[in-house]
Amino acid sequence: QVQLVESGGGLVQAGDSLRLSCAASGRTSTIFAMGWFRQAPGKEREFVAARSLIGGSTMYGDSVKGRFTIIRDNAKNMILQMNSLRPEDTALYHCSAYNSPGGVERFDVDYWGQGTQVTVSS
């Protein structure tokens, strides 16, 4: 099993930046990639970004391209750097982990974090 713990959410104003972090523990050797999804009230869960642990290949959702960046820090946490935030970015952001490349392509997540709330005021 893998456990994912998010941190870094909060309340910001439109145009601000925010940095989310996801720490993985447990059987982390099974992880191929990690990423982020988000879900706003009354809306479907939306893919945000993913990054492979080896090679660093990345994928982004269309609504965040050019504003969000997914990176891995020296402590091996998966970071979501969010710039130029908009009110429509308000959502509960969940860290995700995948055990295979096929899982990433199908958005078939193997492990989920509990989520961290991001609220962007206008």
Side-chain angles (χ1 to χ4, degrees), residues 81-98:
Q81 177 65 43
M82 304 185 293
N83 297 329
S84 302
L85 283 163
R86 304 166 180 169
E88 54 264 39
D89 294 317
T90 295
L92 185 63
Y93 283 71
H94 292 272
C95 182
S96 56
Y98 309 81

Side-chain angles (χ1 to χ4, degrees), residues 44-109:
E44 293 187 355
R45 185 176 289 166
E46 177 187 13
F47 171 77
V48 176
R51 183 183 181 98
S52 63
L53 301 193
I54 297 176
S57 296
T58 57
M59 289 173 55
Y60 293 94
D62 289 341
S63 62
V64 306
K65 283 179 182 177
R67 300 187 298 123
F68 291 11
T69 304
I70 186 168
I71 58 175
R72 201 170 182 214
D73 68 11
N74 291 335
K76 298 185 178 181
N77 298 316
M78 193 61 70
I79 306 296
L80 185 67
Q81 177 65 43
M82 304 185 293
N83 297 329
S84 302
L85 283 163
R86 304 166 180 169
E88 54 264 39
D89 294 317
T90 295
L92 185 63
Y93 283 71
H94 292 272
C95 182
S96 56
Y98 309 81
N99 284 346
S100 68
V104 180
E105 294 169 0
R106 297 188 303 269
F107 305 118
D108 186 9
V109 175

Side-chain angles (χ1 to χ4, degrees), residues 3-9 20-24 35-37 78 92-96 111-117:
Q3 294 79 43
L4 304 173
V5 178
E6 305 98 334
S7 61
L20 305 183
S21 179
C22 177
W36 296 87
F37 281 77
M78 193 61 70
L92 185 63
Y93 283 71
H94 292 272
C95 182
S96 56
Y111 303 101
W112 291 99
Q114 291 294 314
T116 185
Q117 179 67 36

Side-chain angles (χ1 to χ4, degrees), residues 12-18 67 82-87 89 120-122:
V12 296
Q13 293 186 331
D16 285 352
S17 297
L18 203 58
R67 300 187 298 123
M82 304 185 293
N83 297 329
S84 302
L85 283 163
R86 304 166 180 169
D89 294 317
V120 184
S121 63
S122 57

